[in-house]
Amino acid sequence: TNAASSGESVVKVTTLDQIMYPLILKREGMFKPTAATPIEVKNAIASSSTTSYKLVPSAAAVTDAKDTGTTLKEGDIPLFSIARLAFAGSGGQPQVPLFLERADGVTSYTRLGKSDEAVVRTTSLLDVLDSMERGTRPAVGQLEFYGNAEDVLKADEMSSSQ
């Protein structure tokens, strides 16, 4: 966000649900701010009718998506999944990771000691959200979004200092 009085940019950590529906897709009623919602997000939601927001994928993610033949809509984010890759979630339920970066998915697969080549599947954030909303995505509760490893560490560092 831009601090109006000083003209400086302020970077805060937030979650995808806090910005995707109210700010990017501009869908009323899909997200209700809570006490944990950063004030900057609340202010942005209040002024969202006059402001446009978008998520921007990395250049590497866009290139990797194009290499798999995935066509992205304007403002969409590619997501990468790896066949036969799942993590243990709460209660022992498997979590299927959707990576923002292809390289992170391949690295995770390799770290599990897999010797065969990772089979990468590509989809997009808007496609996943659409299928979740329509109820056409099986095991939707098992999907987990994974950001770039470096970005996650930086967000963790930032959120502990907020």
Side-chain angles (χ1 to χ4, degrees), residues 26 44-52:
K26 299 196 185 276
I45 291 169
S47 68
S48 69
S49 62
T50 59
T51 309
S52 180

mmCIF file of all heavy atoms in Angstrom, residues 26 44-52:
data_model
loop_
_atom_site.group_PDB
_atom_site.id
_atom_site.type_symbol
_atom_site.label_atom_id
_atom_site.label_comp_id
_atom_site.label_asym_id
_atom_site.label_seq_id
_atom_site.Cartn_x
_atom_site.Cartn_y
_atom_site.Cartn_z
ATOM 1 N N LYS A 26 -13.483 -8.512 -6.744
ATOM 2 C CA LYS A 26 -14.532 -7.574 -6.333
ATOM 3 C C LYS A 26 -15.875 -8.277 -6.130
ATOM 4 O O LYS A 26 -16.909 -7.850 -6.622
ATOM 5 C CB LYS A 26 -14.656 -6.418 -7.319
ATOM 6 C CG LYS A 26 -13.381 -5.611 -7.419
ATOM 7 C CD LYS A 26 -13.610 -4.276 -8.068
ATOM 8 C CE LYS A 26 -12.311 -3.540 -8.254
ATOM 9 N NZ LYS A 26 -11.853 -2.804 -7.143
ATOM 10 N N ALA A 44 -8.311 -0.764 1.995
ATOM 11 C CA ALA A 44 -8.357 -1.053 0.564
ATOM 12 C C ALA A 44 -9.737 -1.564 0.159
ATOM 13 O O ALA A 44 -10.266 -1.183 -0.890
ATOM 14 C CB ALA A 44 -7.278 -2.075 0.201
ATOM 15 N N ILE A 45 -10.337 -2.407 0.996
ATOM 16 C CA ILE A 45 -11.686 -2.913 0.711
ATOM 17 C C ILE A 45 -12.674 -1.752 0.691
ATOM 18 O O ILE A 45 -13.531 -1.680 -0.192
ATOM 19 C CB ILE A 45 -12.106 -3.990 1.740
ATOM 20 C CG1 ILE A 45 -11.263 -5.250 1.543
ATOM 21 C CG2 ILE A 45 -13.593 -4.308 1.623
ATOM 22 C CD1 ILE A 45 -11.413 -6.278 2.660
ATOM 23 N N ALA A 46 -12.525 -0.830 1.625
ATOM 24 C CA ALA A 46 -13.431 0.317 1.691
ATOM 25 C C ALA A 46 -13.329 1.200 0.446
ATOM 26 O O ALA A 46 -14.309 1.813 0.028
ATOM 27 C CB ALA A 46 -13.140 1.144 2.949
ATOM 28 N N SER A 47 -12.145 1.256 -0.168
ATOM 29 C CA SER A 47 -11.965 2.106 -1.349
ATOM 30 C C SER A 47 -11.854 1.307 -2.641
ATOM 31 O O SER A 47 -11.468 1.849 -3.670
ATOM 32 C CB SER A 47 -10.719 2.969 -1.175
ATOM 33 O OG SER A 47 -9.559 2.156 -1.194
ATOM 34 N N SER A 48 -12.205 0.017 -2.593
ATOM 35 C CA SER A 48 -11.968 -0.840 -3.759
ATOM 36 C C SER A 48 -12.817 -0.507 -4.971
ATOM 37 O O SER A 48 -12.491 -0.896 -6.077
ATOM 38 C CB SER A 48 -12.148 -2.317 -3.386
ATOM 39 O OG SER A 48 -13.500 -2.579 -3.113
ATOM 40 N N SER A 49 -13.907 0.217 -4.786
ATOM 41 C CA SER A 49 -14.733 0.548 -5.945
ATOM 42 C C SER A 49 -14.019 1.527 -6.877
ATOM 43 O O SER A 49 -14.342 1.608 -8.050
ATOM 44 C CB SER A 49 -16.073 1.127 -5.491
ATOM 45 O OG SER A 49 -15.863 2.323 -4.777
ATOM 46 N N THR A 50 -13.046 2.254 -6.359
ATOM 47 C CA THR A 50 -12.344 3.228 -7.191
ATOM 48 C C THR A 50 -10.924 2.804 -7.544
ATOM 49 O O THR A 50 -10.244 3.497 -8.280
ATOM 50 C CB THR A 50 -12.266 4.594 -6.461
ATOM 51 O OG1 THR A 50 -11.577 4.402 -5.216
ATOM 52 C CG2 THR A 50 -13.656 5.153 -6.213
ATOM 53 N N THR A 51 -10.484 1.665 -7.014
ATOM 54 C CA THR A 51 -9.111 1.225 -7.222
ATOM 55 C C THR A 51 -9.096 -0.173 -7.809
ATOM 56 O O THR A 51 -9.937 -0.995 -7.489
ATOM 57 C CB THR A 51 -8.347 1.222 -5.878
ATOM 58 O OG1 THR A 51 -8.520 2.484 -5.244
ATOM 59 C CG2 THR A 51 -6.870 0.977 -6.084
ATOM 60 N N SER A 52 -8.105 -0.433 -8.650
ATOM 61 C CA SER A 52 -7.970 -1.746 -9.257
ATOM 62 C C SER A 52 -6.742 -2.445 -8.667
ATOM 63 O O SER A 52 -5.688 -1.834 -8.522
ATOM 64 C CB SER A 52 -7.804 -1.585 -10.768
ATOM 65 O OG SER A 52 -7.668 -2.829 -11.377
#
